[in-house]
Amino acid sequence: MSSIFTKRLTKELRDLQANPPMGITVQTAEDDLKCWRVTVRGAEGTLYEGETFVLQFKFNNNYPLESPEVVFVDNVPIHPHIYSNGHICLSILYDQWSPALTISSVCLSILSMLSSATKKERPPDNAMYILTAKKSPKSTTWAFHDDSV
Amino acid sequence: MPQIEETQQNVPTIGTQEQPPTPSRPSSYSFDAASLRQRNAPLREAVGSSTMSATASTASPSESDRDDEGNEFECNICLEMASNPIVTLCGHLFCWPCLHRWMQSRSPSANACPVCKAKVERSKLVPIYARGRQSKDPREEVIPERPTAQRPEAAPSQANRGWDNFFFPGGTIPTGNGITVGFGLFPSLFGLHYTFGVPAHLGSRDRQAQVAQQQAFLSRICMMVGILVMIAILLY
């Protein structure tokens, strides 16, 4: 494991625990920091107000040069860009990833995506996708076409 | 408190007697230093030694906080103090090993600045040479040498300015500045040796265009002079 991986994740964990952004709480970071669970709370005044969801982050050794694998576990929010298996259609998690992004900024992006939803609904191709999708959302070829939500 | 009232009453009597009530209004805000000291004295005594211990205990966490988040020179990738620091044209700081790894990665945006997505070119990165000693990083062994700075030539001194035109700073542009224009029939008379001082800040395309233009102009003048000389020879 490269030293940059451990150093950076340790630092991110410390920062997140010391001053977490609004509505974001780190639950656990286990297995040598390779798997994190983060609780996000729906922002006030949005469709998801009062609801809490759990995001699972899995890092491989190339983090932060490669994006983490981010999925919703347990209670998956109903959102036009979130499939019922927890996969999230969000460009920064796949080909728009940048090593300057952090776990905290990813969580904030997802929260913002939830907040800008105008209607609670599954993506139109949800049934098809969950039949064919692999376990990791990173093996899906994503097409990003909707900037509004 | 008696001190305050005393000063308040003294002021109006010295000043205008016609409006005695006006100075009473600012009185609640105007204190002299002695009264302020008196007001605070019991408070300070009461808190006394406990504040001393409190400040001592708060000092250390605030310092460690500053260590955690107050570092202005963190690499945007590893979030550590940048080692072998390098800065992009868009102004974002990275460790050279970190940025190099990102630029070599298979990511579709590997040629973009991780922070702002601006295009990043290896030749346009600026290394930062600080005075502090460089800690040797094991990663350096597999990472190529950090790009060097692009140092422009020293500014020409007044004395030899004419000659400096022959040497382009950096020597990158092959289109020479010294152009020899000769007139075939009378080489001794019209063999012009001409050097152009083309501003070095122009792009190479601009420079070429300008050189071509000047060349055309010169050859036209040569032609005219030549014809005049021919006519003169023929007539006399």
Side-chain angles (χ1 to χ4, degrees), chain A residues 2-4 7-8 11-12 14-15 19 62 64-66 94-102, chain B residues 67-69 74 76-80 94 98 101-102 105-109 113-115 117 139:
Chain A
S2 62
S3 65
I4 174 175
K7 269 193 189 170
R8 175 157 161 164
K11 194 174 165 73
E12 282 197 57
R14 206 175 53 214
D15 286 355
N19 31 5
N62 278 333
L65 298 183
E66 256 182 53
Y94 311 104
D95 51 1
Q96 290 297 304
W97 169 256
S98 142
L101 290 168
T102 60
Chain B
D67 278 351
D68 277 353
E69 49 186 294
E74 273 175 11
N76 279 294
I77 294 181
C78 66
L79 310 182
E80 300 276 323
F94 302 94
C98 291
R101 284 177 174 197
W102 169 244
S105 71
R106 285 172 295 136
S107 161
S109 42
C113 169
V115 179
K117 308 269 183 201
R139 289 174 289 184

Side-chain angles (χ1 to χ4, degrees), chain A residues 15-125:
Chain A
D15 286 355
L16 264 177
Q17 282 169 340
N19 31 5
M22 184 92 154
I24 292 168
T25 330
V26 186
Q27 278 187 7
T28 48
E30 54 199 29
D31 191 18
D32 266 356
L33 295 168
K34 276 191 172 175
C35 185
W36 291 35
R37 290 208 171 188
V38 180
T39 309
V40 293
R41 200 177 60 241
E44 281 175 32
T46 68
L47 292 180
Y48 302 90
E49 180 174 347
E51 293 182 67
T52 56
F53 307 101
V54 178
L55 281 167
Q56 178 185 271
F57 285 74
K58 279 190 174 172
F59 304 95
N60 67 16
N61 285 343
N62 278 333
Y63 181 81
L65 298 183
E66 256 182 53
S67 63
E69 180 193 309
V70 187
V71 290
F72 276 105
V73 286
D74 306 331
N75 170 29
V76 177
I78 298 174
H79 183 278
H81 292 167
I82 300 169
Y83 291 91
S84 55
N85 58 358
H87 290 193
I88 306 160
C89 180
L90 180 62
S91 61
I92 57 162
L93 296 179
Y94 311 104
D95 51 1
Q96 290 297 304
W97 169 256
S98 142
L101 290 168
T102 60
I103 296 158
S104 152
S105 61
V106 166
C107 288
L108 281 175
S109 298
I110 292 173
L111 258 183
S112 132
M113 188 178 95
L114 287 177
S115 301
S116 53
T118 50
K119 205 172 163 189
K120 277 190 180 182
E121 57 182 8
R122 291 277 181 221
D125 57 338

